[in-house]
Amino acid sequence: MKWRVILIGVVIIAVSLFGFSLIDVSTSALVAQRTRMDTLASNLANVSTTHNEQGEAVPFQPRAVVFATDDTVGSNGAMGVKVESVKTLDVEPIWRYEPGHPDANEDGNVAYPAVDLMNNMTDSMIAARAYEANLGAIEVTKDLNQQSLRILA
């Protein structure tokens, strides 16, 4: 029975070193992808917003999430991910001729946000799939840990 105790100790150490590390890496990706999805949803929601947060007649500026590796998460070569920043993109607005619009300039043009619907929708689907993949990785890691402990029981 002495060998079984030693083996259990090795497996528990392996599970704690690898299993929880992998869960931490996937969790960091879940947080990052959630921020990305929130930012993309904000871009899509404000596609027709002609005023900024202060109420000035300045169209909404789309935002983009910048990811960076996070070496404080993970071990043994695995690294997590973090949101380095959410940048406001400095893009020219799209001008539309709408002379009756309250925000129209003297030429009858209204400035609308330059939100690329196709790219934002595509990025939203990619972020959703990445989120699902990381949830799957967490489930697989949990299952492997449980199977390892069952073998020893």
Side-chain angles (χ1 to χ4, degrees), residues 7-21 76 145 148:
L7 186 58
I8 289 173
V10 170
V11 170
I12 290 174
I13 290 171
V15 167
S16 66
L17 285 177
F18 299 112
F20 296 121
S21 173
N76 301 319
N145 289 343
S148 298

Side-chain angles (χ1 to χ4, degrees), residues 32-43:
Q33 292 299 338
R34 178 56 192 234
T35 302
R36 182 179 181 196
M37 286 191 286
D38 289 344
T39 302
L40 291 165
S42 173
N43 288 346

Side-chain angles (χ1 to χ4, degrees):
M1 283 304 214
K2 188 173 185 179
W3 62 271
R4 189 173 190 137
V5 172
I6 293 171
L7 186 58
I8 289 173
V10 170
V11 170
I12 290 174
I13 290 171
V15 167
S16 66
L17 285 177
F18 299 112
F20 296 121
S21 173
L22 295 175
I23 290 174
D24 291 342
V25 169
S26 291
T27 301
S28 73
L30 290 176
V31 171
Q33 292 299 338
R34 178 56 192 234
T35 302
R36 182 179 181 196
M37 286 191 286
D38 289 344
T39 302
L40 291 165
S42 173
N43 288 346
L44 293 169
N46 287 293
V47 73
S48 297
T49 303
T50 58
H51 288 84
N52 65 12
E53 293 88 359
Q54 290 77 31
E56 303 164 339
V58 177
F60 173 80
Q61 292 292 315
R63 290 160 174 78
V65 176
V66 178
F67 292 148
T69 56
D70 186 359
D71 56 0
T72 63
V73 176
S75 63
N76 301 319
M79 285 194 231
V81 64
K82 65 181 175 183
V83 174
E84 187 172 68
S85 64
V86 178
K87 297 203 182 257
T88 301
L89 304 177
D90 188 23
V91 293
E92 281 294 315
I94 297 170
W95 292 94
R96 293 188 191 141
Y97 182 70
E98 296 180 20
H101 194 284
D103 294 327
N105 62 12
E106 60 277 352
D107 297 328
N109 294 315
V110 179
Y112 283 96
V115 174
D116 186 339
L117 291 174
M118 191 67 73
N119 280 340
N120 277 269
M121 285 301 297
T122 303
D123 286 349
S124 294
M125 290 189 299
I126 292 168
R129 297 302 172 259
Y131 194 90
E132 290 171 4
N134 281 290
L135 281 176
I138 289 172
E139 287 300 316
V140 167
T141 302
K142 285 174 24 182
D143 289 345
L144 288 172
N145 289 343
Q146 288 175 350
Q147 293 293 336
S148 298
L149 293 175
R150 275 193 212 123
I151 290 170
L152 297 171

